[in-house]
Amino acid sequence: MISKYYKNKIALLLILFGVGGMMISCNDDEDNASDEIVLLSYGPSPILRGDEMKFIGRNLDQVTSIVFPDEVEITDFLSKESGKIVLVVPEAAVPGDIIIKTPQGDIVPKTPFDVLEPIEIESISPLELRPGATLTITGTYLNLIKQVEFSLGKVVAQDDFVSHSQTELKVVVPSDAQTGSIILSNLAEVEEELRELESEEEIAIILPSITSMSPLPVKPGNNLTITGTDLDLTAQVSFIGGASVADFESVSATELVLVVPASAEEGLIKVVAPSTVSNDSPAELTIVAPTISDISPSPIKAGNTVTITGTDLDLVTSALFGGGVEGTISTQSVTQIEVVVPVNASEDIVTLNTVAKTTTSTNPLELIDPVVNSINPASVETNADITINGVDLDLISKVIFPDGSEGQFVSQSPTELMVTVPLTATSGKLSFLTVNSFEFQSASDLDVQPADLPVISTIPSIVAVGDKMVIEGEKMQFATEVMFAGGVSATKFGLKTETLLEVYVPSNAQDGAVTLKTDLGLTTESSNVNIINPASYEALIYDDAVVGNWGDWGWGGSTVWSSTEQSFIGSSSAKKTYDGSWDAIRWHHNASSIDVSSYSNFVFLVYGGTGSGDKFVQLVVDEQWGTPYAFDVVEGEWTEVIIPIANVNGGSSTSTWTDILFQGEGGGGNFDVFFDHIGFK
């Protein structure tokens, strides 16, 4: 076997020998007397043990012995002449000083002797073996090896070698070793001396393997017997779904018995070695499914407990009813489970789920529906209460009148349901909707008569303090009090008819719903109304006309500064006709600027003319074109726009404003927008 060197200086040393391996041993000025024993050179060095080494000099035939370190003495030379000695380097020689013994005394060469030790791998056997088996490596100078490294860095240190000599090294394969090449190292700390050899052949580590499994299907919690080879090498068995078992009931090389985890799912299983390398089973593991033999009672009232009998029901993790709703399992055994039927379950088959399986009932579970026996009184006014008597009425979630309005529940029990008749309700049969979406109708009609309570159909979404607000609807003549949000009552009224009520907005009215009250104490509420108090607007720049020393710097479509087409406060507003060119209506202070540091918001009223409904307008202050503030325009309505000053110009607004403009979007075509009462709060 040829080994691969990671770090090796042998090639360099061989080159040095070829160039000149003889070591100079004396100086030029040494005594040249003819009877003196003189060593001139020796070599090659470094040299392999067992190779021939030559010593060159004068009178060397008088040398009695040559001692190699460590005290290995040679007296038997291949040849010994006056000018040359040839000998074989002993196997026991180590690097160090050579001593030449002569009658004239010892000669120690100036250059120390060195040994060439080429570490090589000749063979590895066996090439396939189990963890825990002994791996034998043969080669040269293996006595210098300090560790053997298996694949993925699993190391066996010198202290753990089974045996260790110059030509053979034995190690036990670690339990978590993986298939791959091995690396031998002498662990030299000096870079030039470090030797690392990687084997060209890979060591195949034997893994556990599955031949068969029984029983199939298997019930979680029961034993599964696995047969195969090398199963005693198994560290764990892994299942689909993430479950695993490492504590076995019994294990041998050919058989492994384990308890199947409750969370095991169907599919291939794995036998995993300590190295984490695994083998799959040849066939899929199948799991026992529960069976259903009976479900009772049926029909049953939703919210009650149903009993399901069958086999292997202890595996059930959830029970699903019609509509996909899950019931609550109250008791459970191998042959029976009790489940609370959800109140919103519908009639359908029952589904039992386990970790690995799904089982369904053969027939749907029938549910009990509510029964209405009577409705009292049979004739009633709107906003009054009716009492519905019957059975299982607690399953009803909605009572719907013929006009589509829903009655408000006052009280509810299994036998009685009290409902308030909506103001808009009409005569006819009532519809009942249960919690599981089952719908049925009353057997008889309910006679509904309108009560003397106003019904609001339209009310302004925005109105100014002091303005006359017109409320339209039905039975307006019965309203004796109009209350604004915050408990503020109106004190001044205009016209009042059956379909119309005019009221003047009090100065302290607040945003919110408006309440109409009758002399019988009946009330009805409107949608929210935005109350505008013009007195709260300060530092106005527009109020029926431009206020202050502001110049018209606008461009594009026409601007009418005092248009009487639309106005919210006063008699006129500023009308801008946008032409789709990113044009603007613009205020520019001709003198200095306006200080906004004491205000929190920039406020104004805006009305969208024809064609403005899908458009937007944006505020730009002091020509900060890159950070506009966009706002919506509602076609056909006045709205109040409140822009926090802190958000203007991308949050970097200055304390003084010199230039204010409302810019239209580009490419949008012509549309009109009216602006009124522009200022600060």
Side-chain angles (χ1 to χ4, degrees), residues 30-77:
E30 290 183 355
D31 189 357
N32 292 322
S34 60
D35 59 349
E36 184 179 3
I37 302 172
V38 176
L39 177 66
L40 299 177
S41 64
Y42 77 96
S45 179
I47 186 174
L48 291 172
R49 297 180 180 90
D51 281 1
E52 293 183 4
M53 175 176 279
K54 298 181 178 65
F55 294 81
I56 307 299
R58 292 192 298 272
N59 300 316
L60 296 181
D61 53 338
Q62 300 182 43
V63 170
T64 58
S65 67
I66 297 177
V67 181
F68 287 83
D70 190 17
E71 297 183 359
V72 181
E73 187 171 5
I74 301 298
T75 57
D76 185 12
F77 307 116

Side-chain angles (χ1 to χ4, degrees), residues 508-521:
N508 56 345
Q510 301 177 21
D511 291 344
V514 175
T515 302
L516 304 184
K517 188 175 182 180
T518 71
D519 55 0
L520 296 177

Side-chain angles (χ1 to χ4, degrees), residues 87-329:
L87 56 77
V88 175
V89 177
E91 290 294 330
V94 297
D97 290 331
I98 290 177
I99 302 173
I100 299 173
K101 298 288 188 177
T102 75
Q104 298 176 2
D106 294 345
I107 299 174
V108 180
K110 295 180 179 180
T111 303
F113 164 75
D114 198 5
V115 177
L116 188 63
E117 297 177 320
I119 304 172
E120 291 185 357
I121 298 174
E122 294 178 353
S123 69
I124 299 176
S125 64
L127 291 176
E128 182 180 19
L129 71 173
R130 289 163 46 99
T134 299
L135 179 69
T136 300
I137 305 164
T138 63
T140 59
Y141 295 100
L142 298 181
N143 57 302
L144 303 177
I145 298 302
K146 298 296 191 297
Q147 77 172 26
V148 177
E149 180 180 333
F150 288 79
S151 181
L152 299 182
K154 184 61 183 178
V155 170
V156 178
Q158 181 180 12
D159 291 344
D160 296 321
F161 292 172
V162 175
S163 63
H164 194 193
S165 70
Q166 182 174 336
T167 58
E168 184 180 84
L169 190 157
K170 292 185 177 183
V171 294
V172 173
V173 178
S175 62
D176 54 352
Q178 295 188 15
T179 295
S181 59
I182 60 172
I183 299 174
L184 279 58
S185 176
N186 65 355
L187 298 182
E189 296 181 358
V190 179
E191 181 75 14
E192 290 76 10
E193 298 178 1
L194 180 63
R195 305 285 194 279
E196 290 184 342
L197 294 86
E198 182 179 4
S199 64
E200 291 187 349
E201 295 174 303
E202 288 193 343
I203 310 302
I205 304 300
I206 294 173
L207 297 174
S209 179
I210 299 175
T211 302
S212 65
M213 301 176 289
S214 65
L216 290 179
V218 65
K219 182 177 180 179
N222 288 355
N223 285 351
L224 176 70
T225 299
I226 301 172
T227 60
T229 58
D230 300 295
L231 294 176
D232 54 330
L233 299 177
T234 304
Q236 69 175 23
V237 177
S238 298
F239 296 80
I240 297 295
S244 63
V245 176
D247 187 11
F248 308 130
E249 299 300 299
S250 65
V251 62
S252 69
T254 57
E255 182 180 276
L256 187 152
V257 179
L258 57 81
V259 176
V260 178
S263 57
E265 298 180 14
E266 291 190 329
L268 299 177
I269 69 171
K270 298 177 182 291
V271 280
V272 185
S275 62
T276 71
V277 181
S278 63
N279 273 328
D280 288 342
S281 59
E284 292 190 350
L285 177 79
T286 53
I287 302 293
V288 167
T291 63
I292 300 173
S293 58
D294 183 59
I295 301 178
S296 64
S298 181
I300 188 174
K301 180 180 178 180
N304 288 349
T305 298
V306 67
T307 300
I308 303 173
T309 56
T311 61
D312 298 307
L313 296 177
D314 54 325
L315 299 178
V316 174
T317 56
S318 65
L320 301 182
F321 295 84
V325 292
E326 183 176 346
T328 301
I329 299 175

Side-chain angles (χ1 to χ4, degrees), residues 284-442:
E284 292 190 350
L285 177 79
T286 53
I287 302 293
V288 167
T291 63
I292 300 173
S293 58
D294 183 59
I295 301 178
S296 64
S298 181
I300 188 174
K301 180 180 178 180
N304 288 349
T305 298
V306 67
T307 300
I308 303 173
T309 56
T311 61
D312 298 307
L313 296 177
D314 54 325
L315 299 178
V316 174
T317 56
S318 65
L320 301 182
F321 295 84
V325 292
E326 183 176 346
T328 301
I329 299 175
S330 55
T331 64
Q332 186 171 15
S333 69
V334 175
T335 58
Q336 178 178 294
I337 58 172
E338 293 183 342
V339 187
V340 178
V341 180
V343 293
N344 57 340
S346 57
E347 287 193 1
D348 206 339
I349 60 173
V350 177
T351 301
L352 302 182
N353 293 321
T354 71
V355 171
K357 288 284 194 176
T358 296
T359 299
T360 58
S361 61
T362 303
N363 300 314
L365 176 66
E366 297 181 15
L367 298 177
I368 293 174
D369 297 320
V371 176
V372 173
N373 294 328
S374 64
I375 302 175
N376 296 300
S379 181
V380 66
E381 287 188 347
T382 57
N383 206 47
D385 294 338
I386 58 172
T387 300
I388 302 167
N389 295 300
V391 181
D392 299 313
L393 300 182
D394 52 331
L395 297 176
I396 294 175
S397 61
K398 291 182 181 179
V399 177
I400 304 171
F401 289 77
D403 69 320
S405 60
E406 297 180 14
Q408 182 176 357
F409 287 15
V410 178
S411 62
Q412 186 176 22
S413 74
T415 58
E416 182 180 276
L417 175 60
M418 185 175 291
V419 180
T420 300
V421 180
L423 292 173
T424 60
T426 57
S427 298
K429 289 182 172 57
L430 301 185
S431 295
F432 300 92
L433 188 68
T434 67
V435 290
N436 61 3
S437 301
F438 173 71
E439 188 171 356
F440 66 98
Q441 285 189 327
S442 61

Side-chain angles (χ1 to χ4, degrees), residues 466-500:
D467 282 358
K468 180 173 64 178
M469 181 173 67
V470 179
I471 307 173
E472 295 178 308
E474 299 176 9
K475 299 186 178 183
M476 291 290 117
Q477 73 274 21
F478 292 110
T480 58
E481 184 178 0
V482 179
M483 292 182 295
F484 289 82
V488 178
S489 296
T491 58
K492 184 179 179 181
F493 297 89
L495 184 65
K496 181 165 71 170
T497 69
E498 184 178 350
T499 59
L500 182 142

